mmCIF file of all heavy atoms in Angstrom:
data_model
loop_
_atom_site.group_PDB
_atom_site.id
_atom_site.type_symbol
_atom_site.label_atom_id
_atom_site.label_comp_id
_atom_site.label_asym_id
_atom_site.label_seq_id
_atom_site.Cartn_x
_atom_site.Cartn_y
_atom_site.Cartn_z
ATOM 1 N N MET O 287 2.784 -10.043 3.596
ATOM 2 C CA MET O 287 1.979 -9.871 2.398
ATOM 3 C C MET O 287 2.821 -9.210 1.306
ATOM 4 O O MET O 287 3.525 -8.247 1.583
ATOM 5 C CB MET O 287 0.772 -9.004 2.689
ATOM 6 C CG MET O 287 -0.250 -9.600 3.583
ATOM 7 S SD MET O 287 -1.714 -8.551 3.542
ATOM 8 C CE MET O 287 -2.926 -9.768 3.840
ATOM 9 N N PRO O 288 2.726 -9.667 0.101
ATOM 10 C CA PRO O 288 3.475 -9.064 -1.005
ATOM 11 C C PRO O 288 3.086 -7.605 -1.223
ATOM 12 O O PRO O 288 1.928 -7.235 -1.056
ATOM 13 C CB PRO O 288 3.069 -9.912 -2.206
ATOM 14 C CG PRO O 288 2.559 -11.190 -1.633
ATOM 15 C CD PRO O 288 1.979 -10.834 -0.298
ATOM 16 N N GLY O 289 4.065 -6.805 -1.578
ATOM 17 C CA GLY O 289 3.805 -5.414 -1.905
ATOM 18 C C GLY O 289 3.772 -4.467 -0.725
ATOM 19 O O GLY O 289 3.546 -3.282 -0.898
ATOM 20 N N GLN O 290 4.012 -4.969 0.480
ATOM 21 C CA GLN O 290 4.031 -4.096 1.643
ATOM 22 C C GLN O 290 5.453 -3.597 1.887
ATOM 23 O O GLN O 290 6.431 -4.265 1.571
ATOM 24 C CB GLN O 290 3.505 -4.814 2.875
ATOM 25 C CG GLN O 290 2.026 -5.089 2.787
ATOM 26 C CD GLN O 290 1.456 -5.523 4.131
ATOM 27 O OE1 GLN O 290 2.176 -5.911 5.036
ATOM 28 N NE2 GLN O 290 0.155 -5.446 4.243
ATOM 29 N N VAL O 291 5.554 -2.408 2.491
ATOM 30 C CA VAL O 291 6.853 -1.831 2.822
ATOM 31 C C VAL O 291 7.089 -2.050 4.309
ATOM 32 O O VAL O 291 6.305 -1.598 5.145
ATOM 33 C CB VAL O 291 6.903 -0.325 2.487
ATOM 34 C CG1 VAL O 291 8.250 0.260 2.875
ATOM 35 C CG2 VAL O 291 6.624 -0.106 1.011
ATOM 36 N N VAL O 292 8.166 -2.762 4.619
ATOM 37 C CA VAL O 292 8.475 -3.121 6.000
ATOM 38 C C VAL O 292 9.874 -2.619 6.343
ATOM 39 O O VAL O 292 10.815 -2.831 5.587
ATOM 40 C CB VAL O 292 8.411 -4.647 6.196
ATOM 41 C CG1 VAL O 292 8.723 -5.022 7.634
ATOM 42 C CG2 VAL O 292 7.049 -5.185 5.775
ATOM 43 N N LEU O 293 10.000 -1.952 7.479
ATOM 44 C CA LEU O 293 11.295 -1.508 7.977
ATOM 45 C C LEU O 293 11.625 -2.387 9.176
ATOM 46 O O LEU O 293 10.907 -2.372 10.180
ATOM 47 C CB LEU O 293 11.245 -0.035 8.383
ATOM 48 C CG LEU O 293 12.522 0.584 8.947
ATOM 49 C CD1 LEU O 293 13.654 0.513 7.931
ATOM 50 C CD2 LEU O 293 12.262 2.029 9.358
ATOM 51 N N VAL O 294 12.686 -3.188 9.075
ATOM 52 C CA VAL O 294 13.099 -4.086 10.147
ATOM 53 C C VAL O 294 14.364 -3.514 10.770
ATOM 54 O O VAL O 294 15.362 -3.310 10.082
ATOM 55 C CB VAL O 294 13.363 -5.508 9.616
ATOM 56 C CG1 VAL O 294 13.779 -6.429 10.754
ATOM 57 C CG2 VAL O 294 12.131 -6.043 8.895
ATOM 58 N N LEU O 295 14.304 -3.249 12.071
ATOM 59 C CA LEU O 295 15.412 -2.600 12.767
ATOM 60 C C LEU O 295 15.953 -3.477 13.883
ATOM 61 O O LEU O 295 15.216 -4.194 14.537
ATOM 62 C CB LEU O 295 14.935 -1.266 13.350
ATOM 63 C CG LEU O 295 14.340 -0.289 12.340
ATOM 64 C CD1 LEU O 295 13.708 0.881 13.054
ATOM 65 C CD2 LEU O 295 15.394 0.177 11.363
ATOM 66 N N GLN O 296 17.251 -3.357 14.101
ATOM 67 C CA GLN O 296 17.935 -4.086 15.161
ATOM 68 C C GLN O 296 18.097 -3.160 16.356
ATOM 69 O O GLN O 296 18.277 -1.954 16.195
ATOM 70 C CB GLN O 296 19.300 -4.515 14.636
ATOM 71 C CG GLN O 296 20.180 -5.189 15.642
ATOM 72 C CD GLN O 296 21.516 -5.532 15.036
ATOM 73 O OE1 GLN O 296 21.674 -5.615 13.836
ATOM 74 N NE2 GLN O 296 22.502 -5.728 15.886
ATOM 75 N N GLY O 297 18.026 -3.690 17.525
ATOM 76 C CA GLY O 297 18.184 -2.865 18.724
ATOM 77 C C GLY O 297 19.630 -2.752 19.144
ATOM 78 O O GLY O 297 20.506 -3.410 18.611
ATOM 79 N N GLY O 298 19.849 -1.865 20.111
ATOM 80 C CA GLY O 298 21.169 -1.783 20.719
ATOM 81 C C GLY O 298 21.861 -0.456 20.570
ATOM 82 O O GLY O 298 22.182 -0.032 19.477
ATOM 83 N N GLY O 299 22.009 0.211 21.680
ATOM 84 C CA GLY O 299 22.854 1.400 21.809
ATOM 85 C C GLY O 299 22.748 2.439 20.726
ATOM 86 O O GLY O 299 21.688 2.964 20.437
ATOM 87 N N ALA O 300 23.888 2.727 20.092
ATOM 88 C CA ALA O 300 23.992 3.809 19.124
ATOM 89 C C ALA O 300 23.207 3.549 17.849
ATOM 90 O O ALA O 300 22.976 4.471 17.078
ATOM 91 C CB ALA O 300 25.452 4.061 18.777
ATOM 92 N N LEU O 301 22.797 2.331 17.619
ATOM 93 C CA LEU O 301 22.033 2.036 16.401
ATOM 94 C C LEU O 301 20.753 2.863 16.332
ATOM 95 O O LEU O 301 20.287 3.187 15.249
ATOM 96 C CB LEU O 301 21.673 0.551 16.326
ATOM 97 C CG LEU O 301 22.812 -0.399 15.998
ATOM 98 C CD1 LEU O 301 22.335 -1.839 16.084
ATOM 99 C CD2 LEU O 301 23.346 -0.110 14.617
ATOM 100 N N GLY O 302 20.194 3.211 17.482
ATOM 101 C CA GLY O 302 18.964 3.998 17.504
ATOM 102 C C GLY O 302 19.090 5.297 16.730
ATOM 103 O O GLY O 302 18.167 5.715 16.040
ATOM 104 N N ALA O 303 20.238 5.953 16.831
ATOM 105 C CA ALA O 303 20.451 7.213 16.113
ATOM 106 C C ALA O 303 20.435 6.993 14.609
ATOM 107 O O ALA O 303 19.843 7.770 13.859
ATOM 108 C CB ALA O 303 21.774 7.837 16.533
ATOM 109 N N TYR O 304 21.053 5.927 14.155
ATOM 110 C CA TYR O 304 21.060 5.620 12.726
ATOM 111 C C TYR O 304 19.663 5.229 12.256
ATOM 112 O O TYR O 304 19.235 5.593 11.169
ATOM 113 C CB TYR O 304 22.050 4.501 12.413
ATOM 114 C CG TYR O 304 23.477 4.863 12.719
ATOM 115 C CD1 TYR O 304 24.162 4.261 13.764
ATOM 116 C CD2 TYR O 304 24.136 5.833 11.965
ATOM 117 C CE1 TYR O 304 25.467 4.618 14.047
ATOM 118 C CE2 TYR O 304 25.443 6.191 12.245
ATOM 119 C CZ TYR O 304 26.103 5.581 13.289
ATOM 120 O OH TYR O 304 27.393 5.924 13.569
ATOM 121 N N GLN O 305 18.968 4.491 13.093
ATOM 122 C CA GLN O 305 17.623 4.061 12.740
ATOM 123 C C GLN O 305 16.700 5.258 12.608
ATOM 124 O O GLN O 305 15.851 5.298 11.711
ATOM 125 C CB GLN O 305 17.106 3.074 13.778
ATOM 126 C CG GLN O 305 17.870 1.784 13.762
ATOM 127 C CD GLN O 305 17.564 0.885 14.940
ATOM 128 O OE1 GLN O 305 16.802 1.232 15.824
ATOM 129 N NE2 GLN O 305 18.160 -0.280 14.949
ATOM 130 N N LEU O 306 16.860 6.250 13.456
ATOM 131 C CA LEU O 306 16.078 7.470 13.348
ATOM 132 C C LEU O 306 16.312 8.143 12.002
ATOM 133 O O LEU O 306 15.383 8.621 11.358
ATOM 134 C CB LEU O 306 16.472 8.446 14.464
ATOM 135 C CG LEU O 306 15.514 8.556 15.616
ATOM 136 C CD1 LEU O 306 16.140 9.364 16.742
ATOM 137 C CD2 LEU O 306 14.204 9.141 15.211
ATOM 138 N N ASP O 307 17.572 8.189 11.577
ATOM 139 C CA ASP O 307 17.901 8.802 10.286
ATOM 140 C C ASP O 307 17.277 8.038 9.125
ATOM 141 O O ASP O 307 16.798 8.642 8.169
ATOM 142 C CB ASP O 307 19.418 8.884 10.099
ATOM 143 C CG ASP O 307 20.057 9.935 10.992
ATOM 144 O OD1 ASP O 307 19.342 10.838 11.471
ATOM 145 O OD2 ASP O 307 21.280 9.845 11.206
ATOM 146 N N VAL O 308 17.283 6.718 9.196
ATOM 147 C CA VAL O 308 16.676 5.902 8.134
ATOM 148 C C VAL O 308 15.180 6.160 8.078
ATOM 149 O O VAL O 308 14.602 6.384 7.011
ATOM 150 C CB VAL O 308 16.955 4.395 8.358
ATOM 151 C CG1 VAL O 308 16.118 3.537 7.425
ATOM 152 C CG2 VAL O 308 18.433 4.109 8.171
ATOM 153 N N TYR O 309 14.552 6.159 9.243
ATOM 154 C CA TYR O 309 13.115 6.414 9.326
ATOM 155 C C TYR O 309 12.786 7.797 8.749
ATOM 156 O O TYR O 309 11.863 7.948 7.952
ATOM 157 C CB TYR O 309 12.685 6.305 10.788
ATOM 158 C CG TYR O 309 11.214 6.507 11.034
ATOM 159 C CD1 TYR O 309 10.319 5.445 10.904
ATOM 160 C CD2 TYR O 309 10.703 7.742 11.418
ATOM 161 C CE1 TYR O 309 8.970 5.615 11.148
ATOM 162 C CE2 TYR O 309 9.356 7.920 11.661
ATOM 163 C CZ TYR O 309 8.498 6.854 11.527
ATOM 164 O OH TYR O 309 7.163 7.029 11.765
ATOM 165 N N GLN O 310 13.568 8.797 9.136
ATOM 166 C CA GLN O 310 13.335 10.158 8.659
ATOM 167 C C GLN O 310 13.554 10.260 7.145
ATOM 168 O O GLN O 310 12.765 10.890 6.446
ATOM 169 C CB GLN O 310 14.255 11.140 9.379
ATOM 170 C CG GLN O 310 14.016 12.582 8.975
ATOM 171 C CD GLN O 310 14.829 13.562 9.788
ATOM 172 O OE1 GLN O 310 15.548 13.200 10.692
ATOM 173 N NE2 GLN O 310 14.704 14.827 9.456
ATOM 174 N N ALA O 311 14.602 9.645 6.629
ATOM 175 C CA ALA O 311 14.884 9.690 5.192
ATOM 176 C C ALA O 311 13.756 9.040 4.394
ATOM 177 O O ALA O 311 13.354 9.559 3.340
ATOM 178 C CB ALA O 311 16.216 9.011 4.893
ATOM 179 N N MET O 312 13.250 7.929 4.888
ATOM 180 C CA MET O 312 12.144 7.264 4.195
ATOM 181 C C MET O 312 10.908 8.154 4.211
ATOM 182 O O MET O 312 10.216 8.288 3.202
ATOM 183 C CB MET O 312 11.855 5.911 4.830
ATOM 184 C CG MET O 312 12.971 4.906 4.623
ATOM 185 S SD MET O 312 12.669 3.322 5.409
ATOM 186 C CE MET O 312 11.526 2.596 4.216
ATOM 187 N N HIS O 313 10.648 8.791 5.348
ATOM 188 C CA HIS O 313 9.504 9.696 5.469
ATOM 189 C C HIS O 313 9.637 10.867 4.486
ATOM 190 O O HIS O 313 8.693 11.208 3.774
ATOM 191 C CB HIS O 313 9.400 10.207 6.910
ATOM 192 C CG HIS O 313 8.314 11.196 7.120
ATOM 193 N ND1 HIS O 313 6.986 10.841 7.200
ATOM 194 C CD2 HIS O 313 8.354 12.540 7.248
ATOM 195 C CE1 HIS O 313 6.258 11.925 7.371
ATOM 196 N NE2 HIS O 313 7.066 12.970 7.408
ATOM 197 N N GLU O 314 10.815 11.477 4.447
ATOM 198 C CA GLU O 314 11.051 12.620 3.563
ATOM 199 C C GLU O 314 10.976 12.228 2.089
ATOM 200 O O GLU O 314 10.634 13.055 1.243
ATOM 201 C CB GLU O 314 12.398 13.256 3.887
ATOM 202 C CG GLU O 314 12.392 13.969 5.233
ATOM 203 C CD GLU O 314 13.765 14.484 5.634
ATOM 204 O OE1 GLU O 314 14.748 14.252 4.906
ATOM 205 O OE2 GLU O 314 13.837 15.117 6.707
ATOM 206 N N ALA O 315 11.286 10.975 1.787
ATOM 207 C CA ALA O 315 11.213 10.489 0.402
ATOM 208 C C ALA O 315 9.793 10.093 0.015
ATOM 209 O O ALA O 315 9.547 9.675 -1.111
ATOM 210 C CB ALA O 315 12.157 9.303 0.219
ATOM 211 N N GLY O 316 8.872 10.205 0.970
ATOM 212 C CA GLY O 316 7.478 9.879 0.681
ATOM 213 C C GLY O 316 7.180 8.394 0.732
ATOM 214 O O GLY O 316 6.162 7.947 0.218
ATOM 215 N N ILE O 317 8.059 7.636 1.352
ATOM 216 C CA ILE O 317 7.853 6.191 1.463
ATOM 217 C C ILE O 317 6.972 5.918 2.678
ATOM 218 O O ILE O 317 7.345 6.227 3.802
ATOM 219 C CB ILE O 317 9.195 5.449 1.594
ATOM 220 C CG1 ILE O 317 10.051 5.712 0.355
ATOM 221 C CG2 ILE O 317 8.970 3.953 1.825
ATOM 222 C CD1 ILE O 317 11.471 5.216 0.464
ATOM 223 N N GLU O 318 5.821 5.362 2.434
ATOM 224 C CA GLU O 318 4.877 5.034 3.504
ATOM 225 C C GLU O 318 5.153 3.623 3.998
ATOM 226 O O GLU O 318 5.180 2.680 3.206
ATOM 227 C CB GLU O 318 3.437 5.124 2.983
ATOM 228 C CG GLU O 318 3.027 6.519 2.552
ATOM 229 C CD GLU O 318 2.868 7.470 3.728
ATOM 230 O OE1 GLU O 318 2.493 7.009 4.833
ATOM 231 O OE2 GLU O 318 3.116 8.667 3.543
ATOM 232 N N LEU O 319 5.362 3.492 5.290
ATOM 233 C CA LEU O 319 5.638 2.183 5.877
ATOM 234 C C LEU O 319 4.337 1.502 6.273
ATOM 235 O O LEU O 319 3.450 2.117 6.853
ATOM 236 C CB LEU O 319 6.519 2.327 7.116
ATOM 237 C CG LEU O 319 7.900 2.943 6.883
ATOM 238 C CD1 LEU O 319 8.607 3.162 8.217
ATOM 239 C CD2 LEU O 319 8.724 2.054 5.984
ATOM 240 N N ASP O 320 4.257 0.212 5.955
ATOM 241 C CA ASP O 320 3.128 -0.592 6.404
ATOM 242 C C ASP O 320 3.423 -1.224 7.759
ATOM 243 O O ASP O 320 2.528 -1.400 8.569
ATOM 244 C CB ASP O 320 2.820 -1.701 5.377
ATOM 245 C CG ASP O 320 2.360 -1.109 4.050
ATOM 246 O OD1 ASP O 320 1.374 -0.369 4.052
ATOM 247 O OD2 ASP O 320 3.008 -1.388 3.033
ATOM 248 N N TRP O 321 4.681 -1.549 7.993
ATOM 249 C CA TRP O 321 5.092 -2.202 9.230
ATOM 250 C C TRP O 321 6.462 -1.693 9.642
ATOM 251 O O TRP O 321 7.316 -1.451 8.801
ATOM 252 C CB TRP O 321 5.214 -3.714 9.040
ATOM 253 C CG TRP O 321 3.933 -4.416 8.788
ATOM 254 C CD1 TRP O 321 3.355 -4.651 7.571
ATOM 255 C CD2 TRP O 321 3.049 -4.961 9.753
ATOM 256 N NE1 TRP O 321 2.181 -5.322 7.737
ATOM 257 C CE2 TRP O 321 1.962 -5.537 9.065
ATOM 258 C CE3 TRP O 321 3.069 -5.050 11.138
ATOM 259 C CZ2 TRP O 321 0.912 -6.165 9.712
ATOM 260 C CZ3 TRP O 321 2.023 -5.684 11.778
ATOM 261 C CH2 TRP O 321 0.971 -6.229 11.077
ATOM 262 N N VAL O 322 6.666 -1.564 10.952
ATOM 263 C CA VAL O 322 7.995 -1.341 11.524
ATOM 264 C C VAL O 322 8.187 -2.434 12.563
ATOM 265 O O VAL O 322 7.359 -2.599 13.457
ATOM 266 C CB VAL O 322 8.120 0.045 12.180
ATOM 267 C CG1 VAL O 322 9.486 0.201 12.831
ATOM 268 C CG2 VAL O 322 7.880 1.145 11.163
ATOM 269 N N ILE O 323 9.266 -3.179 12.425
ATOM 270 C CA ILE O 323 9.514 -4.322 13.294
ATOM 271 C C ILE O 323 10.889 -4.166 13.933
ATOM 272 O O ILE O 323 11.845 -3.790 13.262
ATOM 273 C CB ILE O 323 9.458 -5.639 12.487
ATOM 274 C CG1 ILE O 323 8.094 -5.790 11.826
ATOM 275 C CG2 ILE O 323 9.785 -6.833 13.381
ATOM 276 C CD1 ILE O 323 8.016 -6.906 10.817
ATOM 277 N N GLY O 324 10.981 -4.454 15.221
ATOM 278 C CA GLY O 324 12.271 -4.397 15.888
ATOM 279 C C GLY O 324 12.164 -4.828 17.338
ATOM 280 O O GLY O 324 11.128 -5.314 17.780
ATOM 281 N N THR O 325 13.256 -4.633 18.062
ATOM 282 C CA THR O 325 13.306 -4.995 19.476
ATOM 283 C C THR O 325 12.848 -3.828 20.335
ATOM 284 O O THR O 325 12.547 -2.751 19.822
ATOM 285 C CB THR O 325 14.738 -5.389 19.861
ATOM 286 O OG1 THR O 325 15.579 -4.255 19.657
ATOM 287 C CG2 THR O 325 15.241 -6.550 19.029
ATOM 288 N N SER O 326 12.847 -4.003 21.648
ATOM 289 C CA SER O 326 12.317 -2.975 22.543
ATOM 290 C C SER O 326 13.047 -1.644 22.406
ATOM 291 O O SER O 326 12.431 -0.589 22.428
ATOM 292 C CB SER O 326 12.347 -3.446 23.991
ATOM 293 O OG SER O 326 13.670 -3.721 24.392
ATOM 294 N N SER O 327 14.373 -1.659 22.251
ATOM 295 C CA SER O 327 15.089 -0.387 22.095
ATOM 296 C C SER O 327 14.748 0.271 20.769
ATOM 297 O O SER O 327 14.742 1.492 20.654
ATOM 298 C CB SER O 327 16.600 -0.589 22.225
ATOM 299 O OG SER O 327 17.065 -1.481 21.250
ATOM 300 N N THR O 328 14.442 -0.532 19.770
ATOM 301 C CA THR O 328 14.005 -0.003 18.483
ATOM 302 C C THR O 328 12.658 0.688 18.633
ATOM 303 O O THR O 328 12.415 1.732 18.047
ATOM 304 C CB THR O 328 13.908 -1.125 17.437
ATOM 305 O OG1 THR O 328 15.184 -1.705 17.269
ATOM 306 C CG2 THR O 328 13.418 -0.596 16.115
ATOM 307 N N GLU O 329 11.794 0.113 19.445
ATOM 308 C CA GLU O 329 10.490 0.725 19.666
ATOM 309 C C GLU O 329 10.638 2.122 20.247
ATOM 310 O O GLU O 329 9.897 3.037 19.889
ATOM 311 C CB GLU O 329 9.647 -0.154 20.588
ATOM 312 C CG GLU O 329 9.218 -1.456 19.945
ATOM 313 C CD GLU O 329 8.558 -2.398 20.933
ATOM 314 O OE1 GLU O 329 8.140 -1.939 22.011
ATOM 315 O OE2 GLU O 329 8.471 -3.585 20.616
ATOM 316 N N HIS O 330 11.604 2.322 21.128
ATOM 317 C CA HIS O 330 11.839 3.651 21.698
ATOM 318 C C HIS O 330 12.305 4.627 20.613
ATOM 319 O O HIS O 330 11.870 5.779 20.582
ATOM 320 C CB HIS O 330 12.860 3.585 22.828
ATOM 321 C CG HIS O 330 12.396 2.795 24.001
ATOM 322 N ND1 HIS O 330 11.355 3.201 24.806
ATOM 323 C CD2 HIS O 330 12.802 1.604 24.486
ATOM 324 C CE1 HIS O 330 11.152 2.300 25.747
ATOM 325 N NE2 HIS O 330 12.018 1.320 25.568
ATOM 326 N N ALA O 331 13.171 4.172 19.724
ATOM 327 C CA ALA O 331 13.648 5.030 18.643
ATOM 328 C C ALA O 331 12.506 5.425 17.719
ATOM 329 O O ALA O 331 12.388 6.585 17.312
ATOM 330 C CB ALA O 331 14.748 4.313 17.843
ATOM 331 N N ILE O 332 11.628 4.476 17.404
ATOM 332 C CA ILE O 332 10.500 4.775 16.522
ATOM 333 C C ILE O 332 9.508 5.699 17.204
ATOM 334 O O ILE O 332 8.965 6.608 16.587
ATOM 335 C CB ILE O 332 9.825 3.475 16.047
ATOM 336 C CG1 ILE O 332 10.789 2.680 15.169
ATOM 337 C CG2 ILE O 332 8.524 3.764 15.310
ATOM 338 C CD1 ILE O 332 11.305 3.429 13.950
ATOM 339 N N SER O 333 9.302 5.518 18.496
ATOM 340 C CA SER O 333 8.412 6.418 19.234
ATOM 341 C C SER O 333 8.955 7.832 19.186
ATOM 342 O O SER O 333 8.211 8.794 18.984
ATOM 343 C CB SER O 333 8.267 5.971 20.687
ATOM 344 O OG SER O 333 7.598 4.750 20.761
ATOM 345 N N LEU O 334 10.253 7.973 19.366
ATOM 346 C CA LEU O 334 10.878 9.287 19.289
ATOM 347 C C LEU O 334 10.754 9.855 17.883
ATOM 348 O O LEU O 334 10.401 11.017 17.706
ATOM 349 C CB LEU O 334 12.357 9.181 19.693
ATOM 350 C CG LEU O 334 13.173 10.470 19.644
ATOM 351 C CD1 LEU O 334 12.561 11.532 20.556
ATOM 352 C CD2 LEU O 334 14.604 10.183 20.049
ATOM 353 N N ALA O 335 11.011 9.032 16.874
ATOM 354 C CA ALA O 335 10.901 9.485 15.488
ATOM 355 C C ALA O 335 9.466 9.913 15.174
ATOM 356 O O ALA O 335 9.248 10.926 14.504
ATOM 357 C CB ALA O 335 11.323 8.372 14.530
ATOM 358 N N ASP O 336 8.503 9.181 15.669
ATOM 359 C CA ASP O 336 7.104 9.524 15.435
ATOM 360 C C ASP O 336 6.789 10.891 16.030
ATOM 361 O O ASP O 336 6.116 11.702 15.418
ATOM 362 C CB ASP O 336 6.183 8.444 16.015
ATOM 363 C CG ASP O 336 4.740 8.671 15.631
ATOM 364 O OD1 ASP O 336 4.484 8.990 14.453
ATOM 365 O OD2 ASP O 336 3.875 8.530 16.507
ATOM 366 N N GLY O 337 7.310 11.158 17.199
ATOM 367 C CA GLY O 337 7.121 12.456 17.829
ATOM 368 C C GLY O 337 7.784 13.572 17.032
ATOM 369 O O GLY O 337 7.218 14.645 16.857
ATOM 370 N N ILE O 338 8.961 13.301 16.516
ATOM 371 C CA ILE O 338 9.667 14.295 15.703
ATOM 372 C C ILE O 338 8.897 14.574 14.428
ATOM 373 O O ILE O 338 8.699 15.723 14.024
ATOM 374 C CB ILE O 338 11.102 13.808 15.376
ATOM 375 C CG1 ILE O 338 11.950 13.809 16.647
ATOM 376 C CG2 ILE O 338 11.732 14.672 14.296
ATOM 377 C CD1 ILE O 338 13.286 13.113 16.495
ATOM 378 N N MET O 339 8.420 13.529 13.751
ATOM 379 C CA MET O 339 7.688 13.707 12.503
ATOM 380 C C MET O 339 6.351 14.407 12.743
ATOM 381 O O MET O 339 5.894 15.173 11.903
ATOM 382 C CB MET O 339 7.440 12.352 11.830
ATOM 383 C CG MET O 339 8.683 11.640 11.392
ATOM 384 S SD MET O 339 9.615 12.642 10.212
ATOM 385 C CE MET O 339 11.257 12.132 10.574
ATOM 386 N N SER O 340 5.732 14.175 13.868
ATOM 387 C CA SER O 340 4.445 14.795 14.160
ATOM 388 C C SER O 340 4.567 16.299 14.373
ATOM 389 O O SER O 340 3.619 17.046 14.167
ATOM 390 C CB SER O 340 3.815 14.155 15.415
ATOM 391 O OG SER O 340 3.548 12.811 15.177
ATOM 392 N N ASN O 341 5.743 16.732 14.798
ATOM 393 C CA ASN O 341 5.967 18.146 15.081
ATOM 394 C C ASN O 341 6.378 18.942 13.858
ATOM 395 O O ASN O 341 6.603 20.131 13.941
ATOM 396 C CB ASN O 341 7.013 18.309 16.183
ATOM 397 C CG ASN O 341 6.505 17.835 17.517
ATOM 398 O OD1 ASN O 341 5.320 17.942 17.816
ATOM 399 N ND2 ASN O 341 7.394 17.286 18.319
ATOM 400 N N ARG O 342 6.490 18.309 12.712
ATOM 401 C CA ARG O 342 6.927 19.027 11.500
ATOM 402 C C ARG O 342 5.764 19.438 10.660
ATOM 403 O O ARG O 342 4.743 18.973 10.587
ATOM 404 C CB ARG O 342 7.863 18.138 10.694
ATOM 405 C CG ARG O 342 9.149 17.968 11.445
ATOM 406 C CD ARG O 342 10.127 17.209 10.634
ATOM 407 N NE ARG O 342 11.359 17.171 11.418
ATOM 408 C CZ ARG O 342 12.499 16.821 10.938
ATOM 409 N NH1 ARG O 342 12.599 16.480 9.694
ATOM 410 N NH2 ARG O 342 13.560 16.802 11.682
#
């Protein structure tokens, strides 16, 4: 849908750490995501990021 903010992430190894930083930077900048899309390893990174953001 036009006008939605989507974060598309690639899976694999060390990329998860970078993806966490991107997710956190977007959150700190006040960017609200409508969708996060990625592979299974990406889902683990986002789950971890969600836990980190919830604790702040």
Side-chain angles (χ1 to χ4, degrees):
M287 292 191 150
Q290 291 193 343
V291 178
V292 180
L293 179 60
V294 181
L295 303 171
Q296 175 182 340
L301 287 175
Y304 297 111
Q305 293 169 357
L306 256 170
D307 288 340
V308 169
Y309 182 85
Q310 183 174 358
M312 292 178 79
H313 177 76
E314 290 174 357
I317 299 171
E318 296 290 329
L319 299 174
D320 295 303
W321 293 90
V322 177
I323 301 169
T325 62
S326 61
S327 60
T328 299
E329 291 172 17
H330 295 293
I332 295 303
S333 293
L334 179 59
D336 188 44
I338 291 169
M339 296 301 149
S340 296
N341 291 327
R342 291 185 177 194

